[in-house]
Amino acid sequence: MKKVIKRIGVLTNGGDCSGLNAAIRAVTFASVAKGWEVYGIHNGSNGLIVRPMEYERLTLGSFEFPYATMGGTMLGTNNSPILAHDNGLREKIDEASIKTRFKEGVDQLRLDALVVIGGDGSIPIFADLCKYAKIAMIGIPKTIDNDAPGTDLSIGFSTAREVVTDAMDKLDTTASSHHRVMLVEVMGRSAGHLALQSAITGFADAVLIPEIPYSYQNLVKHLRATQKKGRGHALVVIAEGIKKPDGECSLSNNSLTFNGVSQYFEQKLKRDGFEVRTNILGHIQRSGTPVAADRLLASAFGVHATELLAKGKTNRVVVHQAGVVTDISLRDSIKLGTTGVNRKSEIVRTARALGIYVGDIK
Ligand code: F6P
């Protein structure tokens, strides 16, 4: 592994979210301050694998246009699986050649290290590729699902929570005017962080998350009880990854997208006499101006990543733990795996204390 850093690559991989550009900016600014050259690799790993390669030199001038205040990723991304041929690779390449091409790309750009802004799926794959290419790798977690290992915050989560909260504020007024039950389906895959926290910040009456079993009857009982207490409408947040009462998950056949589990509840609640409307918020949760909390996190993560490289570290993942930005080993990150909502946590207790139905298991 080369120890003295002169040139680094930075890329984004996996689903986009707000705050990625702020992270790219932070890596660039902190690296330029150290006298390093920075190369932004386009479309995840693909920029190093396609021929001609797709990349750009990043300097302070690259941010004259205010990318960092925008959602999305200025470098483009490549959704998982990381080596899929349908994600920007215009030719079919086998796995062994991908590794060889990746190394060729690294050598051609004379990179000493790579900063990977990605999900928990991407980072270990890049660690393998970087090991093969004999360069250092530092991971920076991003995901609106907020379930990345070892970190209590990931880039993109705070903005997504803001988007959901804002949507709920808007839905609340129309639900209230019409005395309706408004179902709000929220992303998060198998983690309920986004749904649960947005249920609190958006003042919901109930939230169903994958980590806590619920019963449909108890949800209905709760809605009727709140009606009796004088509330004429209700907001119910449904995490996309929950199972239906029969245990069936709404994942589509390709196991990548969810099929709108909230529609099932709409039908059922209508049959039980409620006036119901459903809103599946979808990909707006992945975009929008990054909120200050995401800009701060992305900036601190980017700076920390470059400091790790300057110290000669590799295979570390930057994390946020109890208010502090630090890092963990890739091995620990893989061992920890994704982290869902702890049903005994403060946040679950807070939601319940506010009278929100959060499933049945305490
Ligand atoms: O993991 C982030 C996420 O936004 C999930 O919350 C969601 O289920 C998924 O990605 C959507 O993926 P895609 O952009 O491939 O539809």
Side-chain angles (χ1 to χ4, degrees):
M1 213 64 65
K2 298 171 198 166
K3 284 276 154 60
V4 181
I5 303 288
K6 288 199 180 108
R7 294 158 73 104
I8 71 160
V10 58
L11 57 80
T12 47
N13 204 87
D16 73 339
C17 61
S18 288
L20 294 176
N21 293 327
I24 299 164
R25 177 188 181 277
V27 170
T28 304
F29 275 50
S31 300
V32 168
K34 291 184 192 315
W36 303 347
E37 283 182 19
V38 185
Y39 291 83
I41 312 300
H42 291 182
N43 305 319
S45 53
N46 289 356
L48 288 171
I49 294 164
V50 291
R51 298 293 176 266
M53 288 197 293
E54 291 174 1
Y55 64 91
E56 64 191 281
R57 173 91 188 268
L58 293 175
T59 66
L60 304 197
S62 311
F63 298 87
E64 285 299 284
F65 185 78
Y67 290 115
T69 64
M70 296 163 66
T73 162
M74 61 193 277
L75 296 176
T77 188
N78 172 19
N79 214 350
S80 68
I82 198 171
L83 302 176
H85 296 116
D86 57 351
N87 283 294
L89 285 186
R90 286 168 286 278
E91 45 185 326
K92 211 166 168 54
I93 308 173
D94 61 70
E95 216 164 292
S97 314
I98 282 171
K99 271 191 159 180
T100 319
R101 291 250 194 131
F102 181 87
K103 182 168 168 24
E104 270 170 22
V106 162
D107 291 344
Q108 213 169 306
L109 288 180
R110 290 186 283 120
L111 300 181
D112 304 308
L114 187 65
V115 176
V116 176
I117 307 165
D120 60 303
S122 322
I123 293 172
I125 299 174
F126 274 101
D128 272 357
L129 289 169
C130 288
K131 190 173 168 201
Y132 183 77
K134 296 194 171 52
I135 56 165
M137 196 272 333
I138 301 294
I140 293 182
K142 61 86 221 164
T143 168
I144 67 161
D145 305 342
N146 210 35
D147 59 352
T151 185
D152 41 41
L153 271 178
S154 294
I155 296 171
F157 176 68
S158 299
T159 304
R161 186 181 55 197
E162 205 70 30
V163 170
V164 178
T165 305
D166 179 57
M168 288 178 66
D169 289 353
K170 290 175 175 134
L171 292 169
D172 191 52
T173 55
T174 171
S176 154
S177 305
H178 289 268
H179 317 292
R180 284 173 172 159
V181 173
M182 197 59 85
L183 304 181
V184 188
E185 186 173 318
V186 168
M187 281 184 168
R189 300 198 71 82
S190 54
H193 299 287
L194 186 57
L196 177 63
Q197 293 193 29
S198 304
I200 295 173
T201 56
F203 308 132
D205 300 271
V207 57
L208 305 180
I209 60 174
E211 296 88 343
I212 305 185
Y214 66 92
S215 85
Y216 173 75
Q217 287 71 20
N218 286 343
L219 171 68
V220 169
K221 236 192 251 171
H222 181 79
L223 293 178
R224 293 210 199 287
T226 52
Q227 269 177 341
K228 273 206 190 114
K229 288 177 195 157
R231 192 155 153 84
H233 71 290
L235 289 178
V236 178
V237 179
I238 298 182
E240 64 177 1
I242 64 159
K243 291 186 171 132
K244 292 183 199 160
D246 62 6
E248 199 191 310
C249 187
S250 81
L251 259 187
S252 61
N253 288 339
N254 64 10
S255 313
L256 291 176
T257 46
F258 289 85
N259 275 332
V261 69
S262 50
Q263 284 157 351
Y264 163 87
F265 287 89
E266 175 174 333
Q267 297 314 318
K268 246 179 127 41
L269 286 165
K270 275 182 174 162
R271 281 199 291 273
D272 280 321
F274 292 92
E275 164 123 13
V276 190
R277 294 291 184 274
T278 298
N279 291 264
I280 300 175
L281 298 186
H283 287 78
I284 61 160
Q285 294 161 96
R286 291 241 297 257
S287 65
T289 302
V291 296
D294 265 327
R295 296 180 196 200
L296 194 59
L297 188 74
S299 300
F301 275 9
V303 167
H304 195 84
T306 60
E307 279 167 0
L308 287 172
L309 289 175
K311 286 182 197 150
K313 306 269 179 171
T314 184
N315 284 347
R316 307 287 303 173
V317 182
V318 182
V319 292
H320 181 275
Q321 294 177 344
V324 176
V325 173
T326 177
D327 50 276
I328 58 173
S329 69
L330 179 72
R331 192 176 303 162
D332 283 349
S333 166
I334 295 169
K335 219 188 294 162
L336 284 167
T338 51
T339 342
V341 171
N342 175 349
R343 61 173 77 138
K344 295 194 185 310
S345 59
E346 178 79 40
I347 192 99
V348 173
R349 281 205 303 278
T350 301
R352 288 201 169 118
L354 289 166
I356 302 174
Y357 174 75
V358 195
D360 298 324
I361 312 287
K362 302 251 154 101

